[in-house]
Amino acid sequence: MGICEGRSIIITGAGGGLGRAYALAFAAEGANVVVNDIRQAAAEAVVAEIAATGGQAIASSDDITRSDSAQRIVDAAVAAFGEVHVVVNNAGILRDRMFISLSEEDWDEVMRVHLKGHFCLANILGKRWRDQAKAGNRVDARIINTSSGAGLQGSVGQSNYAAAKGGIAALTLVQAAELARYGVTANALAPAARTSMTESAMPDVVKAPESGFDAWAAENVAPLVVWLGSSRSAHVTGQVFESQGGRISVCDGWRTGPQKDKGARLSVAEVEDVLATLLAQAVPAQKVWGT
């Protein structure tokens, strides 16, 4: 019996890359999978792969960035499998440009797909799980979000994407704090893998090796996501993980660092002296990607 036997999972952006790898890995562990992708043919192809191995899956091409169409995804999952236990928010796009070259559309599209796309399904499912918990039912549900190293450290040429992914990391912390009482955990990961997005942004870096371990293969990230979606991860929430190849790291986010309190208002001159002291004590931030 697989680690996710009987659990039902919605995965967005699952027609290729990381989403496809997650879908296949969840199915291999006994999960029922909703393969959501705006490309219907791509979603159906992944469903066919799962069916060929004896797994259970359905395809969905409904829009994750609108509540009405996101509701249809949930309704289809419940109709097919009886319940939804996990949502993996994976879908994303890039509109890479230097900050002052960004158009308003570049900004809005990335925010719509990443931030609003992470909101709609989780909001609908969060209400469903809350109502079940309040009715006295046991809930063992998971929200798994997708941040990025760009969102955690910043990335030159990706200010819109970095802002969205940083927002997703913060959203995850709030979801974890608010939904714990209902039996819901929320975690995020910053995966590094070869996908259509990374191939377009840095093809030479993510190129598959001719031999040996392929550290950029999307399948390397899937075990972490599957474990987070299982019942065994109920004690883990409010975390952001980085994953690439055979490596997993736990991210250490913004926290209050060195401080000094005069107990009264500081003068402008005093601010300079205080900051000089505090900055000398502070742990330097990781470098922005691309610098």
Side-chain angles (χ1 to χ4, degrees):
M1 181 178 290
I3 193 176
C4 290
E5 194 74 33
R7 289 173 74 76
S8 298
I9 323 293
I10 295 173
I11 306 172
T12 69
L18 285 165
R20 171 183 171 275
Y22 301 161
L24 295 174
F26 269 114
E29 291 292 337
N32 306 310
V33 184
V34 178
V35 179
N36 171 262
D37 200 290
I38 58 172
R39 305 164 299 170
Q40 180 71 24
E44 289 175 350
V46 176
V47 169
E49 286 188 79
I50 292 172
T53 62
Q56 300 293 316
I58 61 171
S60 164
S61 59
D62 283 302
D63 186 355
I64 62 169
T65 69
R66 299 199 331 265
S67 290
D68 59 342
S69 49
Q71 183 68 60
R72 289 197 295 269
I73 301 170
V74 174
D75 291 344
V78 172
F81 305 127
E83 191 49 77
V84 180
H85 304 95
V86 181
V87 58
V88 181
N89 288 310
N90 168 73
I93 62 169
L94 292 177
R95 295 291 185 270
D96 289 357
R97 288 172 180 79
M98 300 300 280
F99 176 70
I100 58 174
S101 297
L102 283 174
S103 68
E104 186 174 3
E105 183 180 3
D106 293 331
W107 184 269
D108 288 347
E109 275 298 286
V110 167
M111 295 301 158
R112 182 180 69 85
V113 174
H114 288 278
L115 276 176
K116 193 174 181 188
H118 270 64
F119 165 78
C120 291
L121 274 170
N123 181 257
I124 290 167
L125 288 168
K127 291 173 182 175
R128 179 182 181 86
W129 295 328
R130 175 201 62 192
D131 293 347
Q132 290 174 348
K134 286 188 172 183
N137 299 313
R138 179 178 178 272
V139 175
D140 185 30
R142 307 283 181 269
I143 297 171
I144 303 173
N145 293 328
T146 305
S147 185
S148 167
L152 303 176
Q153 284 96 42
S155 179
V156 171
Q158 293 189 308
S159 57
N160 50 357
Y161 180 74
K165 289 304 193 183
I168 287 166
L171 170 66
T172 302
L173 302 182
V174 178
Q175 288 172 329
E178 292 184 356
L179 300 178
R181 73 191 74 178
Y182 306 125
V184 182
T185 70
N187 294 285
L189 67 150
R194 185 171 51 257
T195 67
S196 59
M197 290 204 308
T198 56
E199 284 184 313
S200 67
M202 48 183 187
D204 294 336
V205 175
V206 302
K207 184 179 180 181
E210 294 183 2
S211 62
F213 179 53
D214 183 0
W216 290 95
E219 290 76 12
N220 298 330
V221 182
L224 170 61
V225 179
V226 171
W227 186 85
L228 287 173
S230 75
S231 292
R232 298 186 188 183
S233 67
H235 60 293
V236 178
T237 193
Q239 299 293 332
V240 179
F241 302 97
E242 290 179 301
S243 176
Q244 183 204 4
R247 174 181 62 85
I248 295 174
S249 59
V250 180
C251 298
D252 188 10
W254 291 106
R255 60 179 68 244
T256 303
Q259 57 184 302
K260 185 175 181 180
D261 185 356
K262 176 184 175 182
R265 183 183 301 140
L266 294 163
S267 68
V268 173
E270 287 174 324
V271 167
E272 182 173 359
D273 292 337
V274 169
L275 286 183
T277 300
L278 296 182
L279 290 173
Q281 298 171 0
V283 176
Q286 285 185 233
K287 288 186 177 181
V288 171
W289 289 95
T291 61

